[in-house]
Amino acid sequence: MRPLILVTGFGPFLGLAVNPSEALARHVADVDHPTHDFVALSPLPVELEHAAERARQEAVSRSACAILALGVARSSDEIRIESTGRNRSQSNEPDARGQIASVEIILESAPATLRSPLDLRAIGRSLDANGIRWRESDDAGGYVCNDLYFRLLDAHRGGAAPPTAFVHVPLGADEIPRLRDALAEGMANALLALAQPGERIA
C-alpha cells in the first residue's frame, strides 16, 4: 500500500460563500502522484477544536502518513507556507457555531509555539518550479486556521496524529494553474525530511 496524505480544506465562513481551500483540497486529492496517494477531507467545519479533531480522527482511521491542511487568507495575494502554530486564539469573530475566543490559550499543557517537523521548504521549491508566488510565515492568525494547526502539531507531538503542514492560499487559489500538482509534489518531498533532516523554514 502506498503512503497516503490527507488534504483538508475549510467550508464557507464570515461572509465568504465559496472558500477556495475547499475545492483546492479536492483538486490535490485528484493528483495522480507517482509515490503517494492523496485523499480529501473537505470541507472541514470552521469550528474551533472540532475541525482539528475531525482531521485527526480521519488521518488516524486512514493511517495517513501526513496532513496537508489548507486555509484561505483573504487579504493575501500569494501562497503562505506556515511554519508555526501558536498556542492562542485571538479573534473577535465567531466560528460557525458562534463560539468566540477573544484571547485564549488553546491547550494549557502545551508550549507557546510548535513547528512543523516537515521540510516545508520542499513545498516552496515545488511552487518555485511551477512559477507560483509564495512566502514564509510564522503566524497562522488567531482564528480557526491556527487552532487547527496548533492542535494537530500538538497531537503529533504526543503521537496521536501524523505530521502536518499548513498552507494559506489567496482567493481564487483553486483556479491557479499547476497549483494542485505543485502542492502534491511539494508535500511528498517534504516528508523526506523525517528520514533525512534538512533545511526547514525558520
Side-chain angles (χ1 to χ4, degrees):
M1 180 180 296
R2 302 198 321 163
L4 183 144
I5 296 173
L6 180 69
V7 190
T8 69
F10 284 110
F13 73 104
L14 297 180
L16 185 67
V18 178
N19 190 327
S21 72
E22 177 182 347
L24 182 58
R26 293 195 299 270
H27 294 338
V28 175
D30 287 338
V31 171
D32 183 14
H33 193 270
T35 63
H36 289 72
D37 291 325
F38 293 82
V39 64
L41 174 60
S42 184
L44 278 177
V46 184
E47 297 176 3
L48 296 163
E49 186 175 358
H50 186 206
E53 184 58 17
R54 277 200 61 191
R56 190 196 69 79
Q57 289 178 352
E58 185 75 7
V60 170
S61 69
R62 291 181 174 271
S63 299
C65 66
I67 300 171
L68 171 59
L70 304 175
V72 64
R74 288 187 285 189
S75 61
S76 179
D77 60 356
E78 58 192 353
I79 308 297
R80 285 185 3 214
I81 302 175
E82 305 290 351
S83 66
T84 305
R86 298 183 179 274
N87 192 5
R88 56 102 177 94
S89 292
Q90 188 171 1
S91 175
N92 293 320
E93 300 289 354
D95 69 2
R97 294 175 297 180
Q99 181 177 349
I100 296 176
S102 54
V103 179
E104 181 176 299
I105 297 298
I106 295 173
L107 295 170
E108 292 289 347
S109 60
T113 61
L114 288 170
R115 293 168 51 81
S116 175
L118 296 168
D119 181 8
L120 300 179
R121 284 194 181 275
I123 301 175
R125 288 190 292 269
S126 182
L127 294 171
D128 283 338
N130 285 276
I132 298 169
R133 293 175 56 204
W134 68 281
R135 68 177 177 88
E136 304 171 5
S137 171
D138 64 359
D139 189 346
Y143 193 54
V144 180
C145 288
N146 177 73
D147 183 84
L148 170 83
Y149 197 23
F150 186 83
R151 289 180 187 276
L152 290 176
L153 292 175
D154 186 70
H156 174 67
R157 182 175 71 112
T164 298
F166 194 98
V167 177
H168 266 122
V169 300
L171 294 173
D174 52 320
E175 299 176 358
I176 296 176
R178 302 181 301 279
L179 177 56
R180 65 164 202 166
D181 302 279
L183 288 173
E185 181 66 15
M187 189 64 185
N189 290 337
L191 283 164
L192 295 176
L194 297 182
Q196 301 174 348
E199 185 182 18
R200 298 179 178 87
I201 286 180

